[in-house]
Amino acid sequence: MLHVNENYTKIQASYLFTEIAHRVSAHQAANPDAKIIRLGIGDVTEPLAPAVIKALHKAVDDEATRENFHGYGPEQGYAFLREKAAQIDFQDRGIDIAADEIFISDGAKCDCGNVQELFADDVTIAVGDPVYPVYVDTNVMAGRTGLNVDGRYEGLQYLTCDASNGFVPSPEVLKDFAKKPDLVYLCYPNNPTGAVATLEQLQAWVDWAKTEKSLILFDAAYEAFIRDPKIPHSIYECKGARDCAIEFRSYSKTAGFTGIRCGYTVVPKGLLAYTTDGKGLELRPMWTRRQTTKFNGASYLTQRGAEAIYTPEGRAETKAIIDFYLENASLVKAALRNLGYTVTGGDNSPYLWVNVKGDSWEFFDKLLKGANIVTTPGAGFGRAGEGYIRISAFNSRENVLEAIDRFSKVL
Ligand SMILES: *Cc1c(COP(=O)(O)O)cnc(C)c1O
């Protein structure tokens, strides 16, 4: 008899988005004329930069000729893209990362989800609460947790991110943990809270990880939204991070590639994990082996499109699109603050994390029923998200201004 991977039965059904969809469609059915504005979207809304479109067209034409046709490419990505990423995202900022430490993929979600394959079944894992669910669910599927009890998985360590720590946990909290985590997932600028981490805060994690021989899995999917020059864009801005961190990057939110699909993962040379008898094994060749075995590369077209993000036009155009989202965020943030709400995020991030001074689902309903506005209840991202809603800046200006107008009427 075929036995199923029962770890899948532990995964909490995606209650959050199903429940939102359910409440929104019930509201729309009862109010067919209501013009609903969705402020909960985690997907970009603006079209791709013209430089990217031009490069995509050219790449299509390449595929039409015998001389420029590209079939299978290198699984780790084309050198033309790896070199641009290494130079512009890291070396030009004084960060020591080489092209052969960059692995191009079809997005950060897959990489964040796949990376756990490199580690033993019994590693201890710490995640933030609230959290991007991919880090959690992929480890549940792999059998690294127990059952979900009251919204938290047994065996998983949760680092509470709330107003008391500015939504950035410190490794200090681990002194109360019986076992130190082997893997710590960090994501800054954060989804869902929109919080950013300072260099000192990240350095504390790096120093801790080096001492414990643990590994930081750093998700930098929103780094392009950082405008404050003091906020680090990469974990590798911290001293010693090459020895204890993997970093995930994505062109999804930074350049509107959610539909095109491209990102990359940085695995530095010399980064180690250990066998049971204490021998260090390099992770970079293991990740190379994993990718060459299970992945056949992001498409040539996609990578040519991504390369264009790094041209002077591409950089200026994608920056302008992000500036537009940041203006959306700043307009909503100012409006909610005027109405007396405490709001985190939005300055270096597309997300606003609003303290609703009560139950997140009740507030969700109040905005839905009173203003035809859809938000994301924070409780859906973890226990510590209760009392908050997430608002995203991915929207048209028209919708944002209309939503602000409606807020002032119901709040
Ligand atoms: C959107 C997002 C990603 C990017 O996923 P892709 O697969 O590259 O589209 C990664 N991490 C977080 C936290 C995100 O919100």
Side-chain angles (χ1 to χ4, degrees), residues 78-89 91 98-99 102 104:
Y78 283 102
F80 62 75
L81 181 56
R82 301 174 87 189
E83 281 161 12
K84 298 277 178 357
Q87 194 197 321
I88 294 175
D89 291 340
Q91 292 159 12
I102 287 181
I104 308 295

Side-chain angles (χ1 to χ4, degrees), residues 130-132 135 166-168 185-198 201-202 218-228 231-235 237 247-249 253-254 322 326 344-352 390 394:
V131 67
Y132 178 59
Y135 318 141
F167 304 93
V168 182
Y185 289 81
L186 296 176
C187 172
Y188 291 100
N190 189 264
N191 178 10
T193 66
V196 287
T198 63
Q201 287 171 320
L202 293 183
F218 190 73
D219 185 345
Y222 294 95
E223 65 78 30
F225 288 79
I226 295 172
R227 288 291 175 270
D228 180 341
I231 300 297
H233 289 242
S234 166
I235 190 79
E237 290 180 48
E247 181 163 301
F248 306 102
R249 292 283 186 112
K253 320 305 167 24
T254 59
I322 293 174
L326 286 170
T344 308
D347 304 315
N348 299 283
S349 148
Y351 297 119
L352 300 177
R390 189 190 75 174
F394 297 126

Side-chain angles (χ1 to χ4, degrees), residues 246-326:
I246 285 176
E247 181 163 301
F248 306 102
R249 292 283 186 112
S250 168
Y251 299 111
S252 283
K253 320 305 167 24
T254 59
F257 270 48
T258 51
I260 302 279
R261 310 299 311 138
C262 198
Y264 65 84
T265 290
V266 185
V267 189
K269 287 168 207 145
L271 180 64
L272 301 178
Y274 300 86
T275 61
T276 36
D277 48 15
K279 184 171 160 270
L281 280 189
E282 266 208 81
L283 290 171
R284 184 175 154 279
M286 286 177 66
W287 185 246
T288 307
R289 171 43 75 101
R290 195 260 165 220
Q291 291 298 82
T292 54
T293 302
K294 299 196 181 185
F295 182 58
N296 249 340
S299 81
Y300 172 71
L301 308 186
T302 299
Q303 293 187 66
R304 282 295 185 198
E307 182 191 20
I309 299 166
Y310 293 105
T311 60
E313 312 79 67
R315 294 178 78 178
E317 290 161 4
T318 49
K319 180 175 180 293
I321 298 168
I322 293 174
D323 284 342
F324 167 80
Y325 292 132
L326 286 170

